[in-house]
């Protein structure tokens, strides 16, 4: 972490995570492809579940981001006893979060769907799907917590194996449980949910086993454990802004679904877009997962040049990935939608949607990396401010105003407009954090 050439280190840390997240994105897409073969109402139900599912992931991943950054910095300072305590407290708060979402799944699924659609079949499909995903979500929180422990000590290949195995498990079980193959009961949309949670459980179990067997830098023990409010506070100091930043995405998605409700097939198109864009964004998030511990470690070790070079390399790779995403959606929008059994209405709304929204990718790669830099340096609040401004104060208001025209194509332009605002704010805060923190790294030594 402190001596390997930066570009080589970044690739060795990031590539396994990028590959595993590509597999994760692929299974998200294939999951919806299988569901679309039930009918379009089932596909719409899965699309409408996204805001609450993404909120669950926001809490799990955001907490883990705080855990990862705090743990990597502590390991960089060679304080191994404190690192073990941080890991135990991080696992504890992940499981407390699971209990909250299990209760949400039981009591909030029905009103959540009722607020978004009047179509009874979509509601019924959705409540079945979302209840299973939330009540059995302990696999998500286990997987995320223990994978981040592996990442914080540089074992990203093991984290890749856990994610990849869970995703492959989901892919195999999806058609079997949805359509009743190989003697299994035909479960329909419930089968999609069960396949998802079983895949997450497999990943979680593997992540626990890998930590116990291979993660020698950490010795996690809950013997005589008591929550340490000071350590939990430090985890959440970085984690809460990350949670809020990702949760804002849930609010944005929910709000956008309400705006799009009056346009034919628009909600389904929006859900399909999120599945497709994950294939582009997930590798960038994998890049970030490799970048954050490198920056946090070298910040703790007071190595400024390595911090700066890591940032520059990460931005370059992220922008390159996003340009590839633009090319795919501009050239092959109909073919991409065709994977989801798209009819004439879905294609009519979806083709211009993909071509317009993907223009925001030109700016998104830079913004995502810079936001993670803030988190790695303990200033996640900057990322939170940018995310709130982009999604709540620009994207949704602009989308709503454009929707008043009655032309859904105008609504999609809110995405590139919001991303331009994000670029400006990200650059401002990057210059500020460079002046206040990065430029002073190593001075005390």
């Amino acid at each position: 972490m402190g001596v390997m050439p930066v570009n080589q280190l970044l690739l060795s840390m990031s590539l396994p995570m990028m590959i595993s997240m590509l597999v994760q994105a692929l299974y998200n897409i294939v999951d919806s492809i299988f569901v679309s073969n039930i009918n379009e109402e089932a596909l719409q139900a899965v699309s409408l579940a996204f805001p609450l599912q993404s909120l669950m992931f926001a809490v799990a991943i955001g907490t883990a981001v705080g855990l990862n950054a705090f743990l990597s910095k502590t390991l960089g300072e060679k304080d191994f006893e404190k690192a073990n305590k941080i890991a135990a407290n991080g696992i504890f708060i992940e499981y407390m979060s699971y209990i909250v979402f299990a209760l949400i799944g039981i009591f909030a699924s029905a009103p959540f769907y009722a607020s978004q659609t009047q179509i009874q079949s979509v509601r019924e499909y959705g409540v079945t799907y979302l209840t299973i995903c939330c009540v059995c979500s302990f696999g998500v929180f286990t997987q995320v917590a223990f994978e981040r422990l592996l990442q914080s000590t540089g074992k990203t290949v093991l984290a890749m194996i856990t994610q990849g195995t869970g995703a492959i498990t989901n892919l195999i079980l999806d058609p079997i449980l949805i359509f009743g193959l190989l003697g299994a009961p035909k479960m329909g949309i419930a089968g999609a949910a069960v396949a998802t949670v079983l895949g997450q459980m497999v990943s979680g179990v593997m992540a626990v086993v890998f930590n116990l067997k291979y993660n020698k830098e950490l010795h996690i023990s809950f013997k005589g454990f008591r929550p340490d409010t000071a350590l939990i506070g430090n985890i959440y100091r970085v984690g809460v802004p990350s949670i809020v930043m990702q949760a804002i995405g849930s609010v944005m998605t929910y709000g956008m679904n309400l705006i799009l409700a009056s346009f034919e097939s628009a909600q389904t198109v929006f859900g399909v877009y999120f599945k497709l864009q994950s294939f582009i964004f997930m590798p960038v998030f994998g890049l970030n997962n490799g970048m954050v511990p490198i920056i946090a470690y070298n910040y703790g070790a007071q190595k400024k040049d390595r911090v700066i070079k890591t940032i520059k390399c990460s931005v370059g790779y992220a922008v390159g990935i996003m340009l590839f995403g633009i090319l795919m959606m501009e050239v092959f929008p109909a073919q991409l939608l065709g994977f989801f059994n798209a009819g004439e209405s879905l294609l009519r709304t979806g083709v211009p949607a993909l071509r317009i929204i993907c223009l925001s990718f030109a700016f998104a790669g830079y913004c995502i990396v810079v936001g993670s830099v803030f988190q790695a340096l303990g200033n996640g609040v900057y990322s939170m401010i940018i995310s709130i401004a982009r999604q709540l104060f620009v994207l949704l208001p602009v989308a709503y105003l454009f929707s008043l025209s009655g032309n859904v194509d105008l609504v999609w332009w809110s995405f590139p407009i919001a991303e331009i605002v994000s670029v400006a704010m990200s650059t401002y805060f990057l210059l500020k954090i460079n002046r206040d923190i990065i430029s002073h790294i190593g001075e005390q030594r």
Side-chain angles (χ1 to χ4, degrees):
M1 294 279 273
V3 297
M4 184 184 289
V6 168
N7 192 55
Q8 181 183 348
L9 176 63
L10 180 63
L11 291 176
S12 67
M13 291 280 286
S14 299
L15 278 176
M17 296 309 303
M18 292 169 73
I19 293 170
S20 66
M21 286 198 163
L22 269 174
V23 174
Q24 191 86 4
L26 180 62
Y27 106 70
N28 283 336
I29 291 172
V30 174
D31 194 53
S32 291
I33 290 173
F34 285 128
V35 170
S36 72
N37 283 280
I38 299 174
N39 53 49
E40 189 171 326
E41 286 80 11
L43 179 59
Q44 184 178 354
V46 171
S47 299
L48 293 179
F50 185 78
L52 193 49
Q53 281 185 298
S54 64
L55 179 62
M56 179 171 65
F57 279 98
V59 173
I61 294 172
T63 302
V65 166
L67 171 62
N68 196 358
F70 189 23
L71 190 57
S72 295
K73 185 175 183 293
T74 304
L75 289 170
E77 295 166 345
K78 309 300 182 184
D79 191 343
F80 298 107
E81 182 178 352
K82 183 179 178 182
N84 293 331
K85 292 180 180 178
I86 293 169
N89 278 273
I91 294 167
F92 169 75
I93 57 179
E94 288 279 15
Y95 281 115
M96 292 301 100
S97 301
Y98 156 67
I99 292 173
V100 172
F101 278 94
L103 294 173
I104 289 174
I106 294 169
F107 297 108
S109 294
F112 174 74
Y113 270 92
S115 69
Q116 295 186 91
T117 180
Q118 300 300 314
I119 304 172
Q120 188 61 33
S121 60
V122 174
R123 290 186 184 184
E124 292 172 358
Y125 281 130
V127 170
T128 299
Y129 179 82
L130 192 57
T131 301
I132 295 171
C133 288
C134 288
V135 171
C136 300
S137 63
F138 55 86
V140 170
F141 291 91
T142 302
Q143 173 189 348
V144 170
F146 283 88
E147 281 178 357
R148 290 306 172 108
L149 297 183
L150 292 171
Q151 292 170 28
S152 66
T153 55
K155 296 173 178 61
T156 53
V157 173
L158 295 179
M160 176 193 73
I161 293 171
T162 64
Q163 284 196 358
T165 304
I168 292 170
T169 300
N170 185 310
L171 284 172
I172 294 171
L173 292 178
D174 254 332
I176 293 173
L177 297 181
I178 293 173
F179 304 114
L181 306 179
L182 304 178
K186 184 177 180 180
M187 300 175 67
I189 199 165
V194 171
T196 295
V197 298
L198 287 177
Q200 293 163 351
M201 291 175 194
V202 168
S203 292
V205 170
M206 291 185 67
V208 172
V209 171
F210 284 161
N211 269 280
L212 295 176
K213 190 171 182 179
Y214 300 112
N215 209 347
K216 304 302 182 183
E217 291 88 343
L218 296 173
H219 301 281
I220 304 167
S221 174
F222 287 92
K223 185 178 180 179
F225 171 78
R226 290 185 178 180
D228 187 318
T229 55
L231 294 181
I232 290 173
N234 276 314
I235 291 172
Y236 277 135
R237 186 166 64 89
V238 174
V240 165
S242 179
I243 291 170
V244 172
M245 182 175 66
Q246 294 182 69
I248 292 302
S250 300
V251 175
M252 181 277 292
T253 307
Y254 180 77
M256 189 64 72
N257 280 333
L258 297 182
I259 292 170
L260 295 172
S262 60
F263 297 100
E264 184 184 16
S265 297
Q267 286 181 332
T268 306
V269 165
F270 187 51
V272 168
Y273 157 73
F274 263 102
K275 299 291 184 179
L276 292 171
Q277 63 96 28
S278 69
F279 200 72
I280 307 301
F281 280 70
M282 282 294 193
V284 178
F285 294 144
L287 175 71
N288 280 0
N289 287 341
M291 176 194 74
V292 167
I294 296 172
I295 292 177
Y297 183 98
N298 285 283
Y299 176 37
Q302 295 293 294
K303 296 182 178 181
K304 178 171 68 175
D305 290 346
R306 292 179 66 81
V307 170
I308 293 172
K309 190 165 184 180
T310 302
I311 295 171
K312 290 180 177 179
C313 289
S314 299
V315 168
Y317 288 128
V319 171
I321 293 169
M322 288 298 183
L323 291 177
F324 172 77
I326 293 175
L327 179 65
M328 292 299 293
M329 287 199 180
E330 289 291 345
V331 177
F332 305 110
Q335 291 85 345
L336 293 173
L337 291 167
F339 288 124
F340 298 88
N341 203 25
E344 182 182 345
S345 173
L346 203 61
L347 288 171
R348 185 169 58 249
T349 304
V351 168
L354 295 188
R355 283 179 168 159
I356 293 168
I357 297 175
C358 77
L359 298 176
S360 64
F361 294 1
F363 316 107
Y366 166 81
C367 295
I368 292 170
V369 170
V370 170
S372 294
V373 169
F374 300 152
Q375 295 166 12
L377 295 175
N379 286 264
V381 68
Y382 292 167
S383 303
M384 180 181 69
I385 292 170
I386 295 167
S387 184
I388 291 173
R390 180 176 70 87
Q391 298 185 83
L392 297 189
F393 293 101
V394 181
L395 196 154
L396 281 182
V398 170
Y400 173 72
L401 290 174
F402 285 171
S403 73
L404 299 178
S405 69
N407 182 355
V408 70
D409 290 348
L410 289 179
V411 176
W412 309 125
W413 281 101
S414 59
F415 286 88
I417 291 170
E419 210 62 54
I420 291 171
V421 173
S422 181
V423 167
M425 295 185 68
S426 296
T427 301
Y428 170 78
F429 282 120
L430 181 61
L431 293 173
K432 186 176 189 303
I433 207 169
N434 180 64
R435 182 181 68 247
D436 296 342
I437 294 178
I438 297 174
S439 63
H440 299 293
I441 294 177
E443 286 185 355
Q444 61 268 42
R445 296 187 180 181

